[in-house]
Amino acid sequence: MAGIFYSSLVRAIPHEYQSIVDKVKTVTLKNGFTLLIAERGHAPVFTGQIWVKVGSADEEWGKSGSAHLLEHMAFKGTKEIGTTDYEKESALLKRQEEIVVALREKEDSALKDELEKVESALSEIWVSGEYTKLLEQRGAKGLNAATSADYTMYTMSLPSQQLEFWFQMESARLKKPVFRQFYKELNVVLEERRMRTEDQPSGKLYEALLASAFWNHPYQQPTIGWKNDLIHLTKKDAEDLHKKFYQPKNMVIVVVGDVDADKVSELANQYFGDIESKDSYLHRKPAYSHAQEGERMIKVSYKSAPEFLIGFHKPTYPEPESAHLSLLYSILDEGRSSPFQKKLVQQDKILSSVYTTEAPGERYTPLFIVGGTPSQGYSYEQCITAIDRILQNIDITEEMLASAKKRIKFQIISGLGTNTGLSSYIGKRQLLYGNWKDLFNEIEQIDSTRVEDVLQAAKKYLNKDNRTITLIDNTQN
Amino acid sequence: MHSKNRLYFFLFGFIFVYGCSGIVHNRELGKEFVSTPLKTPYFAQKTLSNGLTIYYQKNDILPLFKGVLYFPEGSAALDCEVPGLSQFTVSMVREGGTSSRTPDVLDSYLDSNAIEVESSQSEDFTSFSVSSLSEDTEKALSIFSEIIAEPRFDNNRILLSKELTKDEISRRKDDADTMASLLFNMGLYGERSPWYCPITTESLSRITRKSITSYYNRFLNVQGAYLVASSQLPEDEFFMNVEKLFSRLPGRDRTNVSSSRMQIAGKDTIPTLYVLRKNFTQASIFMGQKSKEISLIDPYKMTLFNRVFGSGSFDSLLFREVRDKRGLAYGVSGGFSASRNRGIFYVKLATQTSQVIPAITAVNNVYTDVLSNGFTEEHIQGAIKSNLLTFVFRFEDSFMAITRPVLLSLSGFPATYDSNYQESMISLSGNNLKDFASKELPDGISILAIVGNVAVEQLKNSDIGKRYRICEADFEEVPRLIECK
């Protein structure tokens, strides 16, 4: 309740951001879509984004990777785009699905032969890449999408004249998606997994960190998906997820650029207003509280140079301690004069690199992560002990706190400078917190943080009992 | 001299309107010519007596200051006598303090004022950037000029940076892409070339404070350099500050500065596949050959070719054939990359080990098909449309819009590249591009580099083995050839 109450109160807006705030309009469609519009920029272009509140945290057990694969499917077209004969295709897709499911139960050479024929027939009907081709031929730039633990986001920029075209295309793939080439795309995602996780020491460490730090928790699953889950996913899994979560009340539409807000609103009603809203998305997995009672350490066997991650559970917005810890990261690690860089890398030379970050999401309590690579001749124990020494003896002055606040302010303002940057800032906050102006509540929390707040948060959260360590063990191979 | 430039480009954009029933059923395209006046953002220009040219844009949208100082000299200006010297020196300009501030004092000053200063060097040019909140513009400018004009090159920081660089070098073998890129470049350029000159612990040991200082004293020459900046300061005030701070930088004639020019592969280049066996689940593959520098190649045909062949488009041939149709790779890209003194044609992809041969075959087939049949007119026209309609994005970020002419010039592109872009793009056709491909890619892809857990015997026994000489390599800090068969 306190969280809900807090997020509905928006404090006074700092003057540096007023010019941006004045430009952003919020419209709610009758079916529940939230639309954010900001008129700005001197070039006749705009950025359009669709945010959906579904990520790996919403996946059923055994179906990890489905939200990300669904994101890939969103580029495969519709009943009209990407096919020369949808009626024929639909029947073939149905049969393909039946055969795939059957083959996963039992090997059958006759079914295998039939599958080959079905897929060959489908290849004849498919118009590969038509959806993205149509967009690119209208000047789409930065055409992309992303899936995290908390959300899925689709983004592109187009010349301003293509505003209605953007609404046509986005609404079409929402209303009439066809998840064609699903099993081929599964291979692509497996390649992506190899690239990002299986062949990357940092990727392996991160995956192990999430799995070990979060017990029985939505953040335990990797967004790319476990390999064994991926190879068992079916098209129906993606379709079910789409039906459940791609609902108006669960989505935010953002348009920023050289546009007319009234026109945007009119087009949104025209193209998205007829989408029926169902409430099934509300049935989301609860986040179990999981106060960690003691340090966990995982060795990941892999032949590479040494590397490690330390993850501490931390609160998330709107808890004020989240802001206190944001300032702590900035103090600890931002800039070459920060304690981590200065002491660990420059003076003592225990680490060749060190960094801090927060992952995997914000909807539930995430991790504050310290990552590092030991210098030659130093053990993991020495590195971690050195980090502990800094964390346990943090000395923060008013000047350090003021500098950290200034750096965060600089980062936020820099991020708001482009159409895409502004879209992302307001889109994400609107989706996760229900009000994009919560950005200013966060800023207010940061501004009002005192030295003692930061020190208390450090003591409460950055201790051994609250942490999980993953490290590369290259002695086995 | 203080001149105001007000540049207007009147661009004629094409809007292609789909037929009457909407985007889906009617694939017939209609054309309308619409003149779309596009204005580059206003900026003021001034050249100092030392030859440094300043482009300045007063920007009241956000309270930020940003500046980038570009030098028209990059790593390729040095031969490969001491690999890594130039990049190491450029990084030490920021890392090593200034004459009046030790590195620690400089770092504290920058961090406490939220001022960021970074450096970067490519083959053709070097850049130093500064950014801060508007309220600190003068402070940021002042410290920026101090860093550039009076670097301390503190010896302790040099030693620390060397240790950190050694660690980076040791981690190269953990990344398949890094190793494949080095192996490919070694195959293209041979050892010890300005374009294949990787730093090693041995070359690092030969980098001294003396060699750094000597290089930088020669490098620091603002004749032909640019400072592009944007802030909330009034123009006159900004120029006054810059004049005071940057006039002291030396400016000398550059006409005698030599830079290397790449030798294009001759007809007798033996097609070679370099293989480095490493235990990764994916194989990283680079394919390509040398090409021409930008002044010898039609930049518009190159831009269009890259879009249809494999750079940055979901509709490119590579994306379609390798990823979309066959699911062989998550990332695949390729095309021409031409700069002031060299050019290459390349394809880059990663695929699971068992698919290496099909993936290479798919890419080679795309290439061969382009040579024989060119591209479909539909594909070309789609790409031209896309190129024309995305042209407007050059003006989206006003700072980037005023930086662009500088970047084009430093990369060797003609000064008229943007102003002739629309007209040149419209005039291109499938035949132009086929001729372009035949002229620039006559002989097939000649150099391949693979890093992964590949079966060399299998490669040798395949069609790839028949076409390419196979050389096996190993890797310590850089690739090393073992034997070629």
Side-chain angles (χ1 to χ4, degrees):
Chain A
M1 278 300 289
I4 295 166
F5 175 73
Y6 195 94
S7 71
S8 65
L9 276 181
V10 179
R11 307 283 192 236
I13 297 184
H15 69 94
E16 303 93 336
Y17 309 100
Q18 195 64 52
S19 63
I20 293 159
V21 172
D22 289 345
K23 289 178 168 45
V24 181
K25 295 181 172 61
T26 306
V27 175
T28 306
L29 304 189
K30 284 199 178 103
N31 54 8
F33 273 112
T34 304
L35 171 66
L36 301 179
I37 314 162
E39 299 175 336
R40 62 176 272 179
H42 63 275
V45 297
F46 75 95
T47 293
Q49 293 185 345
I50 305 283
W51 290 77
V52 191
K53 202 167 178 181
V54 62
S56 52
D58 302 293
E59 292 163 348
E60 282 179 34
W61 194 255
K63 302 212 185 282
S64 66
S66 47
H68 174 238
L69 199 38
L70 176 55
E71 174 224 301
H72 277 237
M73 285 295 103
F75 291 88
K76 295 300 180 183
T78 67
K79 289 177 183 172
E80 288 93 12
I81 303 171
T83 184
T84 53
D85 184 344
Y86 179 65
E87 207 178 302
K88 187 174 174 190
E89 182 192 7
S90 177
L92 286 167
L93 284 173
K94 187 162 177 261
R95 185 60 192 144
Q96 180 195 39
E97 190 73 356
E98 286 163 359
I99 299 173
V100 166
V101 170
L103 283 174
R104 284 182 181 175
E105 296 293 320
K106 199 174 81 169
E107 275 285 318
D108 183 322
S109 55
L111 278 179
K112 243 182 165 169
D113 288 341
E114 190 191 345
L115 182 62
E116 220 174 285
K117 290 191 177 92
V118 165
E119 287 178 346
S120 175
L122 280 168
S123 302
E124 300 293 314
I125 298 171
W126 283 335
V127 182
S128 208
E130 189 176 23
Y131 186 84
T132 48
K133 186 169 83 171
L134 286 172
L135 286 165
E136 287 181 342
Q137 288 182 9
R138 292 291 191 112
K141 194 170 181 286
L143 180 57
N144 213 336
T147 308
S148 78
D150 292 341
Y151 59 78
T152 308
M153 184 271 280
Y154 302 89
T155 183
M156 70 180 89
S157 300
L158 282 155
S160 296
Q161 302 120 332
Q162 308 299 334
L163 181 65
E164 180 162 4
F165 176 72
W166 180 79
F167 273 102
Q168 284 177 338
M169 294 292 275
E170 285 292 13
S171 62
R173 71 170 163 178
L174 182 60
K175 290 177 191 173
K176 300 178 276 185
V178 176
F179 299 160
R180 52 181 61 97
Q181 298 175 318
F182 181 86
Y183 296 99
K184 205 158 268 163
E185 198 65 18
L186 195 45
N187 285 334
V188 171
V189 170
L190 285 165
E191 290 299 333
E192 190 180 351
R193 189 190 146 79
R194 285 183 194 103
M195 184 182 86
R196 292 194 201 285
T197 303
E198 292 173 22
D199 287 343
Q200 292 292 333
S202 52
K204 292 175 97 70
L205 284 179
Y206 179 67
E207 190 169 80
L209 182 68
L210 294 186
S212 318
F214 293 106
W215 286 359
N216 191 23
H217 189 282
Y219 280 170
Q220 188 177 36
Q221 314 202 109
T223 303
I224 191 81
W226 295 110
K227 185 175 173 179
N228 201 50
D229 282 355
L230 282 170
I231 61 178
H232 290 99
L233 284 178
T234 63
K235 189 162 71 73
K236 188 175 178 306
D237 295 324
E239 285 166 348
D240 288 346
L241 203 70
H242 186 271
K243 264 192 213 108
K244 192 171 173 188
F245 288 104
Y246 279 60
Q247 299 291 334
K249 287 179 190 167
N250 208 35
M251 297 172 70
V252 173
I253 305 166
V254 188
V255 178
V256 173
D258 184 19
V259 293
D260 175 72
D262 291 337
K263 183 70 185 169
V264 171
S265 197
E266 180 194 314
L267 288 169
N269 271 299
Q270 182 184 344
Y271 287 98
F272 285 90
D274 59 346
I275 297 175
E276 206 186 310
S277 185
K278 299 184 185 87
D279 286 340
S280 58
Y281 77 93
L282 291 173
H283 301 134
R284 192 172 295 121
K285 273 194 282 197
Y288 298 104
S289 75
H290 57 278
Q292 185 165 329
E293 293 164 358
E295 183 182 85
R296 297 168 194 164
M297 186 179 291
I298 310 294
K299 291 183 186 177
V300 177
S301 184
Y302 188 67
K303 194 173 166 81
S304 78
E307 204 170 324
F308 65 88
L309 294 176
I310 310 172
F312 300 88
H313 294 281
K314 65 169 288 283
T316 189
Y317 179 82
E319 294 299 325
E321 284 173 326
S322 176
H324 304 160
L325 288 167
S326 293
L327 283 159
L328 182 62
Y329 315 147
S330 183
I331 290 167
L332 281 175
D333 185 51
E334 264 173 20
R336 288 149 171 93
S337 67
S338 62
F340 274 179
Q341 298 296 332
K342 196 164 170 172
K343 184 93 177 102
L344 300 174
V345 178
Q346 293 169 22
Q347 288 174 357
D348 297 350
K349 300 183 174 62
I350 291 177
L351 295 174
S352 55
S353 71
V354 64
Y355 64 92
T356 58
T357 188
E358 188 178 308
E362 295 167 58
R363 238 199 281 166
Y364 309 120
T365 55
L367 297 175
F368 163 46
I369 298 174
V370 178
T373 53
S375 296
Q376 214 166 34
Y378 286 94
S379 67
Y380 285 124
E381 195 183 338
Q382 286 171 308
C383 295
I384 293 166
T385 301
I387 290 171
D388 279 343
R389 222 176 274 130
I390 292 176
L391 294 179
Q392 281 151 25
N393 300 290
I394 299 173
D395 178 25
I396 300 176
T397 63
E398 292 291 345
E399 289 75 25
M400 286 164 82
L401 186 63
S403 298
K405 289 179 182 180
K406 193 169 188 178
R407 285 194 296 274
I408 289 175
K409 180 177 166 183
F410 172 69
Q411 284 155 18
I412 291 173
I413 293 177
S414 300
L416 297 172
T418 61
N419 287 346
T420 304
L422 178 59
S423 302
S424 297
Y425 256 96
I426 62 177
K428 185 166 107 166
R429 274 161 186 81
Q430 184 69 38
L431 187 81
L432 294 183
Y433 310 129
N435 187 345
W436 68 270
K437 288 182 186 170
D438 267 39
L439 169 64
F440 305 112
N441 286 340
E442 283 182 79
I443 291 170
E444 158 89 13
Q445 283 181 333
I446 286 169
D447 278 345
S448 60
T449 297
R450 303 159 305 166
V451 168
E452 47 268 42
D453 296 327
V454 179
L455 292 171
Q456 267 168 31
K459 193 170 173 196
K460 185 173 173 184
Y461 293 101
L462 305 189
N463 59 69
K464 284 184 188 175
D465 287 340
N466 189 36
R467 75 182 181 196
T468 302
I469 300 171
T470 58
L471 43 92
I472 292 289
D473 176 6
N474 58 15
T475 59
Q476 302 297 319
N477 292 318
Chain B
M1 240 178 309
H2 188 169
S3 61
K4 290 190 179 187
N5 285 321
R6 201 177 281 272
L7 303 174
Y8 288 89
F9 291 103
F10 288 93
L11 304 172
F12 292 89
F14 294 95
I15 295 182
F16 293 93
V17 179
Y18 283 102
C20 50
S21 59
I23 59 171
V24 173
H25 298 291
N26 188 343
R27 297 179 199 274
E28 192 68 26
L29 306 175
K31 292 184 198 177
E32 277 181 20
F33 289 86
V34 175
S35 71
T36 310
L38 274 180
K39 218 166 35 167
T40 54
Y42 164 73
F43 67 95
Q45 179 179 338
K46 180 172 187 168
T47 302
L48 303 182
S49 54
N50 56 10
L52 175 65
T53 301
I54 301 134
Y55 289 173
Y56 178 67
Q57 179 186 71
K58 185 173 185 297
N59 192 333
D60 288 317
I61 295 172
L62 286 173
L64 294 173
F65 160 60
K66 186 173 176 175
V68 188
L69 177 59
Y70 292 99
F71 288 86
E73 180 180 323
S75 58
L78 279 188
D79 59 28
C80 199
E81 198 50 49
V82 184
L85 172 61
S86 58
Q87 292 102 326
F88 194 87
T89 301
V90 164
S91 75
M92 288 315 301
V93 170
R94 161 63 187 92
E95 299 296 332
T98 68
S99 58
S100 53
R101 293 173 220 251
T102 64
D104 284 350
V105 168
L106 176 64
D107 290 342
S108 290
Y109 181 80
L110 293 173
D111 292 343
S112 60
N113 286 288
I115 298 172
E116 290 183 358
V117 174
E118 300 299 340
S119 62
S120 157
Q121 187 176 64
S122 69
E123 290 167 11
D124 290 334
F125 61 88
T126 304
S127 64
F128 298 91
S129 66
V130 59
S131 52
S132 72
L133 292 169
S134 268
E135 66 207 50
D136 299 313
T137 301
E138 287 173 17
K139 247 191 237 175
L141 261 179
S142 176
I143 194 68
F144 188 54
S145 81
E146 188 179 313
I147 289 169
I148 303 295
E150 303 161 28
R152 177 186 281 244
F153 297 129
D154 177 84
N155 210 46
N156 286 332
R157 275 296 172 95
I158 290 173
L159 291 173
L160 172 67
S161 291
K162 281 186 165 189
E163 289 304 310
L164 298 180
T165 304
K166 272 189 211 164
D167 184 80
E168 277 172 27
I169 292 170
S170 75
R171 287 176 192 272
R172 282 178 185 160
K173 60 184 183 304
D174 295 337
D175 187 76
D177 265 6
T178 300
M179 287 193 281
S181 170
L182 288 169
L183 187 59
F184 177 65
N185 284 315
M186 186 189 78
L188 273 186
Y189 302 115
E191 304 200 40
R192 290 296 175 97
S193 138
W195 297 280
Y196 175 68
C197 193
I199 197 168
T200 60
T201 50
E202 186 278 326
S203 69
L204 200 53
S205 68
R206 288 189 282 134
I207 296 174
T208 62
R209 189 173 182 279
K210 189 175 171 190
S211 60
I212 288 169
T213 316
S214 168
Y215 169 73
Y216 192 69
N217 285 342
R218 190 193 63 68
F219 169 88
L220 187 59
N221 172 10
V222 295
Q223 182 70 238
Y226 292 85
L227 173 63
V228 183
S230 162
S231 83
Q232 291 188 320
L233 283 185
E235 261 172 41
D236 290 345
E237 204 175 316
F238 182 82
F239 280 118
M240 193 175 71
N241 270 289
V242 166
E243 186 125 32
K244 190 172 78 182
L245 295 167
F246 289 83
S247 290
R248 57 181 167 152
L249 297 178
R252 300 180 296 276
D253 180 31
R254 280 188 183 273
T255 51
N256 289 329
V257 173
S258 65
S259 56
S260 309
R261 295 183 72 173
M262 184 194 74
Q263 294 297 316
I264 298 175
K267 286 278 177 191
D268 57 354
T269 300
I270 303 170
T272 304
L273 188 158
Y274 297 90
V275 181
L276 176 59
R277 293 201 67 216
K278 284 282 178 184
N279 195 13
F280 293 108
T281 61
Q282 258 192 346
S284 181
I285 303 170
F286 279 70
M287 305 165 66
Q289 64 207 47
K290 288 187 203 171
S291 178
K292 294 179 188 141
E293 63 206 55
I294 193 67
S295 61
L296 300 177
I297 205 167
D298 184 318
Y300 303 108
K301 289 178 185 170
M302 179 183 80
T303 300
L304 186 60
F305 178 92
N306 285 350
R307 177 166 269 277
V308 289
F309 182 80
S311 290
S313 164
F314 285 93
D315 192 37
S316 68
L317 282 184
L318 283 183
F319 193 92
R320 271 196 221 164
E321 296 298 323
V322 179
R323 173 168 159 165
D324 226 14
K325 280 191 183 160
R326 296 176 174 80
L328 287 171
Y330 170 69
V332 57
S333 62
F336 286 93
S337 170
S339 55
R340 264 213 313 245
N341 295 302
R342 69 128 175 174
I344 60 166
F345 171 78
Y346 76 96
V347 173
K348 175 186 169 341
L349 70 153
T351 189
Q352 56 179 313
T353 310
S354 60
Q355 300 294 332
V356 164
I357 293 174
I360 292 174
T361 305
V363 171
N364 272 335
N365 287 345
V366 167
Y367 178 103
T368 308
D369 194 54
V370 163
L371 282 184
S372 313
N373 305 314
F375 303 94
T376 64
E377 203 57 41
E378 190 198 344
H379 198 180
I380 297 283
Q381 291 305 316
I384 290 174
K385 258 192 273 183
S386 181
N387 280 355
L388 289 173
L389 288 171
T390 52
F391 186 77
V392 67
F393 285 99
R394 284 156 170 76
F395 305 93
E396 181 187 9
D397 178 325
S398 58
F399 186 82
M400 280 316 298
I402 67 170
T403 305
R404 194 172 155 77
V406 173
L407 289 173
L408 286 175
S409 161
L410 292 174
S411 302
F413 278 72
T416 53
Y417 178 74
D418 273 355
S419 55
N420 290 343
Y421 186 89
Q422 303 270 317
E423 204 179 298
S424 303
M425 203 52 63
I426 293 162
S427 69
L428 293 176
S429 68
N431 282 336
N432 290 142
L433 230 50
K434 187 167 182 235
D435 291 343
F436 174 81
S438 304
K439 186 178 160 202
E440 304 301 339
L441 304 169
D443 300 322
I445 292 174
S446 54
I447 303 291
L448 275 69
I450 305 173
V451 173
N453 198 9
V454 290
V456 179
E457 281 309 306
Q458 200 181 9
L459 279 171
K460 283 178 184 164
N461 296 332
S462 71
D463 284 342
I464 292 169
K466 289 176 191 138
R467 186 172 163 186
Y468 295 92
R469 172 181 71 155
I470 294 183
C471 291
E472 288 187 65
D474 67 10
F475 191 98
E476 195 42 54
E477 296 179 357
V478 291
R480 190 179 64 94
L481 278 186
I482 302 172
E483 66 168 350
C484 292
K485 283 182 185 163

